[in-house]
Amino acid sequence: MSDGTLITLISLGVTFLFMLGTPVLLVIFYWVIGCSFVIDLPLANTGNELINVFSKGFALLAMPLFILTGDLINQSGIARRLSDFAYSCLGWLRGGLAMASIAACGLFAAISGSNSATTATIGSMLHPEMVKGGYDERFSASTAAAGGTVGIIIPPSIIFIVYGFLLNLPISDLFVAGILPGSLMVLGMMIMAFIVCTINGWGILIRLSLSRMFKTAIGAWLGFFAIGLVLWGIYTGKFSPTEAAGVTVGFCMLVGIICYPLNKIMGSSTDLPVEDKGVLSMFVVEGFTIPQLPSVVSRSAQITGILVPLIAVSVAMQQVMSSLGAKDFIGDFVTGMGGYYAVLFTSMAIVFVTGMILESLPVTIILAPILAPIAASVGIDPIHFSVIFLVGASIGFITPPYGLNLYVASGVTGVPYFRLLPFSSLYLVALLSVWIIVALTPSLALSLLPDR
């Protein structure tokens, strides 16, 4: 039996395992091991590659720290304050709570850098409120899933860290480049939510109150400070992304521990809306106790324990694919398309299709080192292409059959996966429109960079 036939059978076998629900990590690992035997690639070489990924990647240390930040701001009550502020600004519009959910996703993403954490946190907080307010439960869950896509675009971003590590690009520049495209993604989804809710008459309108906006803004000041701390430190060069992650974790941990006893002393009920709390207690979030920290860290460690091995086996998969000639095949195919726009849109199509079946990390690790040099050879700015690539990868979070955010939203809301698809497809249209705009407008990614 030829090597090609064996590799085809292995690929079909792992595809079948994937369809049965086998974790993506194991699917990729089985494929790497099987193909390594076929092409006589020493397993010791694969093992060394798995170790080298992290022994030489200081920047990757930021990833578990930003994941921990997301859990800390959720546990401390900062995330709730941010969502209250978003609702006070948008609740007077039709579909205001839906738009507030998306805006809250953007604010949460600006501290946590994780799509799944964004979807899980905002979905668990605001889905019951949306259903209570008359929204369709499918639309509510789909809103959380779609809003979570900005988690890897608005800085800080875990996937930007991986991309910068792979392509040797300044991670701080990548973070800054994601600000305007990520904000445009939020705006595009908010417009779609407004249209859908206006057509269906969903949502209970609240009175536009500048007083309420002011009070909720005060209540969310710690969240705004954390966002500003990250962006200021990275933009000015005071912190590397890894250092910024460490500083943010320290800040959120300190806030949570200090605020808990202060909140108890003030006798502020955690059930009261921010605007109904006392003046002093508005400045203090709910916080957490030191004995609660191990469980928070444990949750973050579980997520890190999923992502880190996935990065490692994806790099090993890239090596096997290179040995099989896949890198040259894809490179020749894309290059053969022609000039600037042909390469651009062919690359986007490859990222979109691959994102339908793989998580963003393996998509980035496998395809970015292949497509980025080709894009640069036809004149596409490397920073601009990174944003194009990762916006496309983020869209894969709501595209079946994989659609990680759809699974997360289904898990936290109880709405079955397939019932989310009709409304998630509407958000998909909005995100695809934004993606094309970002691809055709380099200034969206480059205008905030100081040396551009």
Side-chain angles (χ1 to χ4, degrees):
M1 191 176 295
S2 67
D3 289 354
T5 302
L6 287 173
I7 291 173
T8 300
L9 291 175
I10 292 171
S11 300
L12 290 174
V14 297
T15 301
F16 180 69
L17 291 176
F18 176 74
M19 294 173 64
L20 291 178
T22 303
V24 176
L25 170 66
L26 293 179
V27 170
I28 296 176
F29 182 74
Y30 293 152
W31 187 87
V32 168
I33 296 300
C35 292
S36 295
F37 279 118
V38 172
I39 63 177
D40 294 325
L41 188 67
L43 291 183
N45 187 66
T46 301
N48 290 333
E49 192 66 35
L50 297 180
I51 295 172
N52 289 338
V53 168
F54 300 102
S55 62
K56 61 184 180 181
F58 173 73
L60 294 180
L61 290 175
M63 182 176 65
L65 292 174
F66 279 127
I67 292 172
L68 177 57
T69 298
D71 282 328
L72 288 173
I73 63 176
N74 184 31
Q75 184 72 27
S76 66
I78 293 175
R80 166 62 70 179
R81 298 293 183 90
L82 291 172
S83 65
D84 287 344
F85 170 72
Y87 184 49
S88 70
C89 295
L90 299 166
W92 59 279
L93 294 169
R94 178 62 64 185
L97 187 53
M99 290 188 284
S101 297
I102 296 169
C105 286
L107 293 171
F108 187 91
I111 311 177
S112 71
S114 169
N115 65 289
S116 56
T118 301
T119 296
T121 300
I122 303 303
S124 60
M125 284 196 308
L126 295 184
H127 172 73
E129 299 297 325
M130 288 183 66
V131 173
K132 191 186 303 181
Y135 294 84
D136 186 290
E137 65 172 4
R138 299 170 300 166
F139 173 75
S140 171
S142 298
T143 298
T149 58
V150 301
I152 66 167
I153 303 299
I154 294 179
S157 163
I158 293 170
I159 201 68
F160 270 129
I161 294 170
V162 175
Y163 191 101
F165 167 73
L166 291 172
L167 276 298
N168 197 29
L169 292 172
I171 295 173
S172 57
D173 285 358
L174 297 180
F175 279 4
V176 174
I179 294 174
L180 292 181
S183 301
L184 190 60
M185 290 171 67
V186 171
L187 179 60
M189 289 186 287
M190 286 173 62
I191 292 172
M192 179 58 72
F194 176 76
I195 294 172
V196 172
C197 293
T198 299
I199 292 173
N200 291 281
W202 290 335
I204 299 173
L205 304 185
I206 64 173
R207 183 173 60 87
L208 177 60
S209 170
L210 295 180
S211 173
R212 180 175 181 174
M213 291 172 59
F214 179 71
K215 289 179 179 179
T216 53
I218 292 175
W221 78 275
L222 287 168
F224 296 139
F225 185 86
I227 294 171
L229 181 65
V230 173
L231 297 181
W232 170 80
I234 293 173
Y235 189 80
T236 61
K238 301 294 184 183
F239 308 142
S240 70
T242 304
E243 291 166 344
V247 169
T248 310
V249 165
F251 170 77
C252 293
M253 193 173 295
L254 192 63
V255 165
I257 293 172
I258 291 176
C259 283
Y260 183 82
L262 291 177
N263 202 40
K264 294 298 182 182
I265 292 171
M266 293 176 184
S268 176
S269 172
T270 57
D271 297 328
L272 286 176
V274 174
E275 60 271 21
D276 293 336
K277 293 177 180 288
V279 175
L280 290 178
S281 61
M282 284 197 304
F283 288 89
V284 180
V285 294
E286 286 72 23
F288 47 78
T289 62
I290 293 178
Q292 289 176 311
L293 272 179
S295 63
V296 177
V297 174
S298 176
R299 286 199 302 269
S300 301
Q302 289 172 3
I303 298 174
T304 303
I306 294 172
L307 296 181
V308 168
L310 186 58
I311 293 174
V313 298
S314 296
V315 171
M317 182 181 186
Q318 182 191 71
Q319 184 184 48
V320 173
M321 290 180 67
S322 180
S323 300
L324 292 172
K327 182 176 181 178
D328 294 334
F329 174 79
I330 296 173
D332 292 342
F333 174 76
V334 176
T335 305
M337 291 294 102
Y340 184 100
Y341 290 106
V343 168
L344 175 63
F345 288 112
T346 301
S347 299
M348 291 170 67
I350 291 173
V351 172
F352 179 76
V353 172
T354 310
M356 295 175 67
I357 56 176
L358 286 177
E359 209 267 347
S360 62
L361 276 175
V363 170
T364 301
I365 294 169
I366 294 167
L367 291 180
I370 299 174
L371 297 178
I374 298 171
S377 70
V378 296
I380 302 175
D381 185 274
I383 300 294
H384 181 214
F385 184 76
S386 72
V387 175
I388 296 170
F389 187 101
L390 294 176
V391 169
S394 72
I395 292 174
F397 288 126
I398 59 167
T399 53
Y402 188 65
L404 176 61
N405 281 12
L406 296 175
Y407 284 106
V408 174
S410 175
V412 299
T413 64
V415 180
Y417 174 92
F418 289 104
R419 296 190 67 208
L420 302 180
L421 300 183
F423 289 109
S424 65
S425 62
L426 297 176
Y427 284 118
L428 180 61
V429 171
L431 290 172
L432 288 173
S433 302
V434 170
W435 192 23
I436 293 172
I437 293 171
V438 170
L440 297 177
T441 315
S443 59
L444 284 172
L446 304 177
S447 60
L448 295 182
L449 294 174
D451 57 345
R452 300 297 176 122

